[in-house]
Amino acid sequence: MARARGANAIMAAAFETTYGVPPTSGFRKLPFVSSNLGEEQGLIASDLLGYGREPLPPTRDVVNNDGDVVVPIDLRNFGNWLKLFMGAPSSTDATGVRTHVFTSGAVALPSMTVEVGLPEVPSYGQNFGVRGNTMRVQMQRSGLLTATLGLIAQGENKLGASAAGTLAEAGVERFSPFQGAITRGGQPLGSVVSADFTYSNNLDKVEVIRGDGRIEDADPGMVMMSGNVTVRFANTVLLDQATAGTPVELTFGWVTDATRSLVFTAHAVYLPRAKTPVTGPNGVQATFTWQAAKDMTLGKTVTATLINNVAAY
């Protein structure tokens, strides 16, 4: 008997023209680290009396399909996820070097169908009506660079064969953590030990009454961008900014060269006043839990700029 193996799992994704309707073509093979997308339906214990101490059968609850997908932050494929979370980019071409600018605040966001296949069984979970809720990224000195994507789907079809057809595929070229850089007001921010940020669309499930128990959609709410920066306490630059209460632009990015990079820009970041605890003989560190807001001049909170050789997303 064939048994499913994660090593042979395949993820294929395509953007939907109509929410919740799987497309018949346009699927791309996307690299991933892990996925727990898939429908689940709980049971509600019976509350009926009058039949003794033995319980009566439970009742099925509503259907949910929420889950995290962990993906590599790479040069070409990650742009598909940025489009899911922020909408189609504004793209320009300079002799084959493409600059894709994704911005927050789009009124309408696209949806995807994401098929996770286990060919040995075979079993293919076709998750449709997938929208991007949260994107969490950890920056550190070493390791593997990934993003944890919190997704909300409308439902799932269990298939015995793939419905994705012939898959388009882009080469995987991962960014490395050591290529990361953080700037404050356009200048490198020194002595950063670690950082993380979360981008959220604050999706609101439209939980209506319908025969299949699924949601009707997931509507975007207020954009949120927040995170933490842990620094070795070598100067009072960030403390002074926190005390003053004035916003500043922070960027988080990875640059291979002039033609290959990804940079997230939070345009108006506010810092809280942070402690500088002394916990031992080693260096003193301070952690700033920041929040970003709309820049009143630019009219947006976040911009993600991806430079590569992909024609369009």
Side-chain angles (χ1 to χ4, degrees):
M1 182 195 309
R3 294 179 175 83
R5 295 184 181 181
N8 294 327
I10 299 172
M11 177 175 287
F15 287 97
E16 298 172 346
T17 302
T18 302
Y19 174 78
V21 178
T24 57
S25 61
F27 281 85
R28 304 189 63 84
K29 183 177 181 179
L30 296 179
F32 71 107
V33 177
S34 64
S35 169
N36 65 355
L37 274 179
E39 273 190 342
E40 57 184 1
Q41 186 173 27
L43 298 174
I44 302 175
S46 174
D47 61 351
L48 299 179
L49 305 177
Y51 293 86
R53 294 183 58 240
E54 304 296 341
L56 293 180
T59 301
R60 289 187 298 170
D61 202 358
V62 296
V63 175
N64 290 298
N65 191 347
D66 308 347
D68 288 346
V69 174
V70 180
V71 301
I73 298 181
D74 75 325
L75 182 63
R76 300 176 183 89
N77 296 288
F78 194 68
N80 295 287
W81 298 113
L82 290 174
K83 179 179 177 180
L84 180 68
F85 276 80
M86 305 177 82
S90 172
S91 300
T92 57
D93 179 21
T95 319
V97 179
R98 311 279 182 157
T99 300
H100 310 280
V101 180
F102 302 82
T103 57
S104 61
V107 175
L109 295 174
S111 62
M112 261 184 176
T113 291
V114 179
E115 182 186 277
V116 180
L118 302 171
E120 296 96 342
V121 176
S123 176
Y124 294 82
Q126 185 190 61
N127 301 278
F128 53 87
V130 177
R131 295 200 187 273
N133 189 29
T134 59
M135 177 190 300
R136 302 187 298 274
V137 178
Q138 173 75 41
M139 298 184 71
Q140 54 195 10
R141 188 167 176 265
S142 65
L144 295 172
L145 185 60
T146 61
T148 301
L149 310 178
L151 306 178
I152 296 177
Q154 184 183 46
E156 179 189 25
N157 295 321
K158 284 294 189 182
L159 308 175
S162 175
T166 301
L167 302 181
E169 186 174 351
V172 178
E173 184 177 339
R174 297 180 76 160
F175 291 106
S176 298
F178 76 86
Q179 296 172 320
I182 300 172
T183 69
R184 172 190 174 275
Q187 300 299 316
L189 184 62
S191 302
V192 177
V193 177
S194 64
D196 65 78
F197 63 85
T198 298
Y199 177 87
S200 176
N201 284 314
N202 282 307
L203 294 181
D204 178 27
K205 291 184 183 179
V206 183
E207 298 181 302
V208 300
I209 299 172
R210 45 187 283 167
D212 59 8
R214 293 166 172 156
I215 62 173
E216 185 175 79
D217 203 338
D219 294 339
M222 195 77 73
V223 168
M224 184 200 75
M225 179 78 161
S226 61
N228 298 279
V229 176
T230 300
V231 298
R232 280 296 182 103
F233 194 58
N235 57 57
T236 62
V237 170
L238 293 180
L239 282 176
D240 293 343
Q241 180 191 330
T243 302
T246 54
V248 70
E249 182 179 272
L250 289 184
T251 70
F252 306 85
W254 304 268
V255 178
T256 303
D257 54 36
T259 64
R260 296 173 293 172
S261 64
L262 171 61
V263 176
F264 288 87
T265 303
H267 297 287
V269 171
Y270 293 81
L271 295 173
R273 296 183 66 174
K275 297 179 180 180
T276 53
V278 180
T279 58
N282 297 323
V284 176
Q285 296 182 170
T287 299
F288 295 85
T289 302
W290 54 268
Q291 296 181 31
K294 176 181 178 180
D295 183 283
M296 303 310 283
T297 301
L298 298 174
K300 54 190 174 183
T301 303
V302 185
T303 299
T305 304
L306 176 62
I307 300 177
N308 58 23
N309 61 351
V310 176
Y313 287 102

